[in-house]
Amino acid sequence: MGLTPAPMNVWPLGWVALVPLWMAIAFESRNSAILSFFFHQKPIQKNRLFSILKTLKQEPKLRFWLRLWAFPLVWGLGYHGVALSWILGIHPMTWMGVPWWPSLAIALFCWGFISLWGAGLVVVWATVVAIATTRTHVITRLILATATWCILESVWSAGDLWWTAIAYTQSPNNLAILHLSQLSGPNTVAAAIVAVNGAIAEGLIAYFKNYREEGRSVRRVRGLLVTALILFCTVHAIGFYLLSRPLNDLGDRALKVGLIQGNIPNEIKLNYFGYQKALYGYTTGYETLTDRGVDIVLTPETALPYLWTETSRESRDFYRVILEKNIPAWVGTFAQTEDGNITNSLLTVTGTGETYSRYDKTKLVPLGEYIPFEDILGKFIDRLSPLDAHLVHGDKHQIFETPFGRAIVGICYDSAFPEHFRRQAAAGGQFILSASNDAHYTPVQMHQHNALDLMRAVESDRWIVRATNTGLSSVIDPHGRILWRSQINRYQEHIATIYRRDTQTLYVRWGDWLTRCLGILAVIVTGLEWRIRKFSS
């Protein structure tokens, strides 16, 4: 499963990679003797570890659960660990004043902790499946396992540590299946993936299980595998139908946007040379794009690495050239709240120099932009933010008005959270602006970040323009087709024509209704089966 996300994009593996885990859970829960060889080694009494293992060997129930949890833990670490390996790219952070060895320790801790966090989801899911697999009918198991996975992903995505949703294994290449997200968000894709994997796994389990009635075994195996094939084809057919619908964008809804990829490495961004390079690059880029007739210019996250105030802006060439050209710009910079805290913001600056609107980044990067549980951890962890002041979260209910209509905005890490974009689309957002700075990560992260923004475009049926510092900037249409994508680590300018749209998908209107329905259905079928078993016994 770790090979499925961008940039490797081996998305077909996502439809079978859960099968071995499902089978391991089923066999282990039905036959607790499996893998008992792990505990067959003769313990060495002088070694405390082996003494503990000997104690566990005398506790069969505990030993069973430890063996059972080992499967999903390894699977979860394999998937999330491989997919998130780009986190190690934050090392070395010597440019931020962090010594080399502490920098390595921080990178390893972040990678390991977030991978374990994702693996925890798999362990919880496997526990539910293990309990259900010996006591329920195969149909009940499939519904329960699918509902549990979707519910867990919904709960996990409500927090601050979220990236590797199982749906993003299909982005950006499987556009047909991604269109299922227009029905009920990314969990629609997750439900399809889990259900297909489950049907295949149950069919193989039935094949390997020693049935006395050979004919029954063949019929069951064939039925489950055919069910998996029909489900796989059906969900792709629905997605292909949604993908094939014309966009029907009208010319009077067009918006000509200029994009600037400044290519300022983070290592120099905060020193004098990098600061001057940023000012020069974005100022000359703005002049070039406005001379070519754009309606507005979009810059990346914190493109202008200083606090945007009335005093500071007027002394900069970038602000003065806006007044000269009289063309508005979406400016990535830092802003200040009324109580003196700092926000990572995107501003709409009109041609007259007025700050027309402001969006403050909602999802800040833990340890990178803020310290979770700061009263406790702040005493032990040096701040990694490039500013001395505290970065604070933006309000979850922000509305971003522009001279060209209401926009949907995501700054960097916001891209991983579909509900953030759905809410803005439901509030009337007509197009998506994404501003990011991925310079401190590897190209793997840049590809995955672009793939996440692509999913947000498809879910909400909106055009999206992405401006990043070092790549990948891009232009994506509502069907997820990448019309332009920048190169990595190059200064680039681009003019994109996008269209404002007022359509609302089922997901935008009703949210993740499928997960709620699956949860209710799982409770009903499990309850009915329990009642039937109770009365039959």
Side-chain angles (χ1 to χ4, degrees):
M1 190 69 84
L3 299 176
T4 57
M8 289 173 282
N9 296 318
V10 194
W11 63 265
L13 287 178
W15 298 90
V16 295
L18 198 59
V19 171
L21 174 62
W22 191 301
M23 294 180 66
I25 295 169
F27 279 124
E28 178 65 15
S29 59
R30 296 173 190 176
N31 181 13
S32 60
I34 293 179
L35 292 188
S36 60
F37 63 85
F38 281 134
F39 297 91
H40 281 173
Q41 298 180 16
K42 185 177 180 180
I44 303 173
Q45 299 299 329
K46 294 181 180 180
N47 190 306
R48 181 172 176 79
L49 175 61
F50 283 94
S51 298
I52 293 173
L53 290 177
K54 182 179 180 180
T55 303
L56 292 178
K57 190 175 180 180
Q58 298 170 355
E59 300 287 341
K61 290 184 179 180
L62 177 60
R63 189 170 75 253
F64 160 71
W65 284 108
L66 287 175
R67 289 201 309 271
L68 182 68
W69 287 334
F71 290 110
L73 182 63
V74 171
W75 191 96
L77 288 174
Y79 170 48
H80 296 283
V82 172
L84 294 170
S85 59
W86 49 261
I87 291 176
L88 296 174
I90 65 175
H91 172 73
M93 292 177 280
T94 51
W95 61 278
M96 300 176 72
V98 180
W100 198 91
W101 283 109
S103 170
L104 178 62
I106 291 172
L108 290 173
F109 170 79
C110 291
W111 179 47
F113 181 83
I114 297 173
S115 298
L116 281 170
W117 188 265
L121 180 150
V122 186
V123 171
V124 174
W125 173 80
T127 302
V128 174
V129 174
I131 294 172
T133 195
T134 55
R135 305 180 183 180
T136 57
H137 187 269
V138 61
I139 300 300
T140 304
R141 286 200 298 276
L142 288 173
I143 294 173
L144 186 60
T146 304
T148 301
W149 191 287
C150 292
I151 291 170
L152 288 172
E153 287 212 347
S154 296
V155 172
W156 253 255
S157 64
D160 284 341
L161 289 179
W162 185 245
W163 189 271
T164 42
I166 199 172
Y168 102 133
T169 62
Q170 305 300 297
S171 183
N173 288 349
N174 192 358
L175 291 181
I177 204 65
L178 290 180
H179 275 69
L180 287 185
S181 62
Q182 293 186 348
L183 304 179
S184 185
N187 272 354
T188 322
V189 180
I193 292 174
V194 174
V196 170
N197 273 275
I200 295 173
E202 290 292 340
L204 294 176
I205 290 170
Y207 175 78
F208 288 114
K209 190 172 181 180
N210 185 21
Y211 277 91
R212 291 183 179 180
E213 301 177 23
E214 186 176 350
R216 178 187 170 193
S217 175
V218 172
R219 288 193 300 271
R220 188 176 185 184
V221 171
R222 185 183 299 131
L224 287 167
L225 295 180
V226 169
T227 299
L229 180 61
I230 292 175
L231 181 58
F232 177 83
C233 294
T234 300
V235 293
H236 278 80
I238 296 172
F240 183 78
Y241 166 75
L242 295 173
L243 172 62
S244 63
R245 294 185 303 173
L247 295 177
N248 295 325
D249 289 313
L250 301 176
D252 60 352
R253 307 283 286 174
L255 180 61
K256 200 172 182 180
V257 182
L259 304 176
I260 305 174
Q261 179 172 294
N263 193 34
I264 314 295
N266 279 357
E267 290 80 0
I268 67 170
K269 187 173 183 178
L270 300 180
N271 63 33
Y272 177 79
F273 175 74
Y275 178 78
Q276 293 300 321
K277 184 177 179 180
L279 288 181
Y280 175 79
Y282 289 109
T283 301
T284 56
Y286 173 87
E287 288 181 302
T288 301
L289 292 169
T290 53
D291 288 342
R292 294 173 62 187
V294 300
D295 297 316
I296 192 166
V297 175
L298 174 63
T299 65
E301 175 189 20
T302 62
L304 303 182
Y306 56 82
L307 190 61
W308 185 275
T309 63
E310 185 174 346
T311 303
S312 65
R313 70 184 186 184
E314 293 178 356
S315 62
R316 267 70 176 193
D317 290 340
F318 186 85
Y319 182 76
R320 288 195 290 265
V321 79
I322 289 178
L323 298 179
E324 177 187 333
K325 297 292 185 180
N326 196 30
I327 299 294
W330 286 307
V331 182
T333 186
F334 294 102
Q336 196 167 27
T337 63
E338 293 181 356
D339 55 2
N341 286 316
I342 307 300
T343 58
N344 184 342
S345 303
L346 186 73
L347 310 178
T348 303
V349 181
T350 66
T352 60
E354 172 195 2
T355 300
Y356 187 90
S357 58
R358 166 178 161 182
Y359 169 81
D360 299 330
K361 185 175 181 180
T362 300
K363 292 293 185 178
L364 300 178
V365 179
L367 298 182
E369 294 176 312
Y370 84 102
I371 300 177
F373 312 107
E374 188 171 359
D375 292 341
I376 301 173
L377 298 181
K379 301 176 182 178
F380 307 101
I381 301 176
D382 289 331
R383 188 166 189 80
L384 304 183
S385 170
L387 293 180
D388 292 332
H390 296 274
L391 284 181
V392 294
H393 296 265
D395 180 40
K396 294 181 179 180
H397 304 287
Q398 297 173 80
I399 298 297
F400 193 72
E401 300 285 0
T402 79
F404 308 99
R406 186 169 292 179
I408 303 165
V409 185
I411 296 181
C412 203
Y413 191 38
D414 288 337
S415 299
F417 300 88
E419 178 59 25
H420 172 75
F421 290 78
R422 188 204 70 81
R423 181 197 61 78
Q424 294 182 79
Q430 299 175 318
F431 53 93
I432 301 175
L433 304 174
S434 177
S436 301
N437 177 20
D438 298 330
H440 35 290
Y441 298 116
T442 67
V444 171
Q445 191 269 353
M446 299 178 187
H447 284 278
Q448 290 184 11
H449 201 167
N450 189 69
L452 286 171
D453 271 337
L454 184 150
M455 293 173 65
R456 307 293 86 89
V458 173
E459 293 158 7
S460 57
D461 193 35
R462 294 293 185 268
W463 287 80
I464 182 170
V465 283
R466 304 186 73 237
T468 67
N469 179 14
T470 56
L472 295 162
S473 303
S474 61
V475 181
I476 304 171
D477 76 5
H479 280 323
R481 294 179 291 228
I482 301 174
L483 305 183
W484 173 80
R485 191 173 68 183
S486 71
Q487 295 179 318
I488 294 175
N489 296 328
R490 283 197 181 181
Y491 177 89
Q492 288 192 252
E493 301 164 2
H494 182 74
I495 297 177
T497 299
I498 65 173
Y499 296 86
R500 292 162 285 181
R501 296 172 65 85
D502 295 313
T503 58
Q504 287 200 339
T505 64
L506 287 178
Y507 173 59
V508 169
R509 279 183 281 174
W510 298 343
D512 187 10
W513 56 269
L514 178 63
T515 296
R516 295 191 291 270
C517 291
L518 284 173
I520 294 172
L521 181 61
V523 171
I524 292 174
V525 296
T526 304
L528 286 175
E529 184 168 340
W530 179 79
R531 295 276 295 181
I532 292 172
R533 286 177 180 271
K534 181 179 179 181
F535 284 113
S536 62
S537 60

